[in-house]
Amino acid sequence: MKKRYQTLNDYYRKLFGEKIFKVPIDAGFDCPNRDGTVAHGGCTFCTVSGSGDAIVAPDAPIREQFYKEIDFMHRKWPEVSHYLVYFQNFTNTHASLEVIKERYEQAIFEPGVIGINIGTRPDCLPDEVIAYLAELAEKMHVTVELGLQTTYEETSRLINRAHSYELYQETVKRLRKYPKIEVVAHLINGLPGETHQMMIENVRRCVTDNDIQGIKLHLLHLMTNTRMQRDYHEGRLQLLSQKEYVNIICDQLEIIPKEIIIHRITGDAPREMLIGPMWSLNKWEVLNAIDKEMEARDAYQGCRLI
C-alpha cells in the first residue's frame, strides 16, 4: 500500500537513487543538562545511553563502530553500498569544534559515506560549529536533528529539557542561513500533562512557524532507570493506548505540509528496559494501524492545512 505521507525511505531513494543505511554511532558526547552546563540529571525520559540503546558496539572506537554496524545491516540488505553516518545519542555538538571535527572525521570520510546526520540540541550549535557543518554540506548531505520534544515551556521544565522553544526557533534560522543543511525536529507524543490538542499544537508550531525540512514523531517510552519513572508511579504520567497514539499521529499528519519529510512516526525501545506502553514493541502493527486509519479517513499528509 502506498503511504499517505512522505516517508524518509522514499525521500532518500529519490535523492540518492538507491536504498541507503543510516549508521548509528556513539561518539562519546554528553549533554549540557546532564553535565551541569545548563542543568543536572538529563531529560527525565532519557536512559543512561542517551537514546542510543540499539547501537551494536557503543564502546568500540568510532571507526570500528561504523564497520560493525554496516556488517550487521548487510545481513538483511547485502546490496546497500552507501551510508549516512548518524551521530545519534546524547548531544553530538556538545564539545569544542576541534573535538567535534576529530570525532566526526573518524567515520564520515570512510568509503561509501555520502552524508551525516547529527542528533543535537538547539543550545549546542555555536556559529563556528554551524560554519563547519556548512563546509561539510558542500561535500556531502548534512542533516541536523534538533531535539525539541515539546513547544510548551511548562512541559520543558517538567522534563528538565533546559532550553526554550524560542531558542529552538532562533537556532533553526541560524542553520537555515545555509540552505544545504537540512533541519529535522524531534517531538515526543505522550509527555506528562500534555493533552491531545497540545500534541497537535506542538506539530503545528514546529512545522508552520519554522523552516524545517523533516520531522520525527516519537511515542514516549517509559524506560527503567529514568527519572520519569517517579512521574508514572506518582500518577503524573498516563501512558497512551495504541488507539490514542494512532489518532494523534493521524491528526498530526493531516496538518504537516506535504513537502516536510516524515522521518519517523513511532520508535523502538529495548524490550528488557521498557516499562510501557508494551504495545509499542509491535512496531509494524502500529505502522499498519496508522496506514489503515489514514485510509479510513481518506486522509493525506497536509490535507487539513488551510
Side-chain angles (χ1 to χ4, degrees):
M1 178 177 20
K2 183 173 173 58
K3 298 288 186 182
R4 291 172 175 249
Y5 55 90
Q6 302 294 324
T7 70
L8 182 62
N9 186 56
D10 285 346
Y11 173 63
Y12 281 161
R13 282 188 179 275
K14 291 175 184 175
L15 186 64
F16 301 117
E18 60 185 315
K19 182 173 178 61
I20 60 167
F21 289 156
K22 284 178 70 175
V23 183
I25 296 291
D26 181 343
F29 293 100
D30 204 340
C31 282
N33 64 342
R34 287 168 47 95
D35 66 8
T37 304
V38 296
H40 291 278
C43 295
T44 62
F45 56 79
C46 199
T47 66
V48 292
S49 65
S51 301
D53 304 293
I55 293 175
V56 171
D59 297 324
I62 290 172
R63 186 173 180 273
E64 184 179 334
Q65 284 185 55
F66 173 80
Y67 283 103
K68 284 180 179 292
E69 288 286 346
I70 62 173
D71 286 346
F72 178 76
M73 292 176 178
H74 278 148
R75 296 175 195 174
K76 186 172 183 181
W77 297 287
E79 76 282 3
V80 174
S81 60
H82 291 99
Y83 318 101
L84 298 176
V85 178
Y86 180 22
F87 291 98
Q88 180 179 15
N89 52 328
F90 295 122
T91 303
N92 292 278
T93 56
H94 183 45
S96 68
L97 179 58
E98 291 72 21
V99 169
I100 291 169
K101 285 184 175 181
E102 189 273 330
R103 295 184 188 180
Y104 287 7
E105 292 173 14
Q106 290 181 54
I108 62 174
F109 297 129
E110 290 300 306
V113 173
I114 54 176
I116 179 174
N117 284 47
I118 302 150
T120 187
R121 291 164 50 102
D123 55 355
C124 292
L125 283 160
D127 289 343
E128 63 269 21
V129 171
I130 293 178
Y132 168 62
L133 299 182
E135 290 176 15
L136 290 180
E138 296 297 325
K139 306 170 186 174
M140 62 182 61
H141 191 259
V142 174
T143 302
V144 176
E145 300 190 10
L146 290 178
L148 174 59
Q149 319 311 359
T150 180
T151 65
Y152 289 92
E153 301 306 329
E154 58 268 35
T155 308
S156 185
R157 287 192 295 271
L158 186 62
I159 64 175
N160 196 41
R161 192 65 193 157
H163 69 74
S164 67
Y165 174 58
E166 287 73 21
L167 179 60
Y168 161 81
Q169 292 180 297
E170 293 169 9
T171 303
V172 171
K173 289 176 182 176
R174 290 169 52 236
L175 286 164
R176 292 299 294 156
K177 289 179 182 177
Y178 304 94
K180 290 186 178 180
I181 299 177
E182 293 192 358
V183 179
V184 176
H186 290 217
L187 290 172
I188 295 178
N189 288 322
L191 291 171
E194 293 206 345
T195 64
H196 184 121
Q197 191 52 48
M198 290 170 73
M199 292 178 235
I200 306 308
E201 181 64 10
N202 276 330
V203 166
R204 189 204 63 75
R205 293 175 181 176
C206 192
V207 300
T208 63
D209 296 348
N210 300 280
D211 179 16
I212 65 171
Q213 289 64 58
I215 190 166
K216 278 189 173 181
L217 300 170
H218 290 259
L219 168 67
L220 173 68
H221 291 115
L222 181 62
M223 308 287 279
T224 57
N225 301 318
T226 60
R227 296 168 67 193
M228 193 167 280
Q229 281 181 270
R230 181 183 300 174
D231 294 321
Y232 180 64
H233 292 306
E234 294 180 359
R236 291 187 296 274
L237 172 64
Q238 298 296 318
L239 299 179
L240 295 172
S241 70
Q242 181 173 313
K243 183 177 180 180
E244 288 173 322
Y245 186 73
V246 167
N247 282 326
I248 289 164
I249 286 290
C250 292
D251 286 349
Q252 290 173 327
L253 288 173
E254 288 179 352
I255 65 167
I256 297 175
K258 293 179 180 179
E259 65 271 16
I260 300 290
I261 306 303
I262 310 301
H263 283 235
R264 177 167 285 185
I265 54 174
T266 183
D268 301 291
R271 181 182 293 272
E272 67 276 8
M273 299 177 66
L274 183 65
I275 298 172
M278 299 309 292
W279 55 260
S280 67
L281 292 170
N282 300 314
K283 182 176 179 179
W284 287 107
E285 181 180 306
V286 178
L287 293 172
N288 288 338
I290 292 167
D291 289 341
K292 288 177 182 177
E293 177 62 21
M294 292 293 281
E295 185 177 16
R297 298 180 182 197
D298 193 24
Y300 294 86
Q301 180 180 336
C303 67
R304 283 205 288 129
L305 282 174
I306 298 174

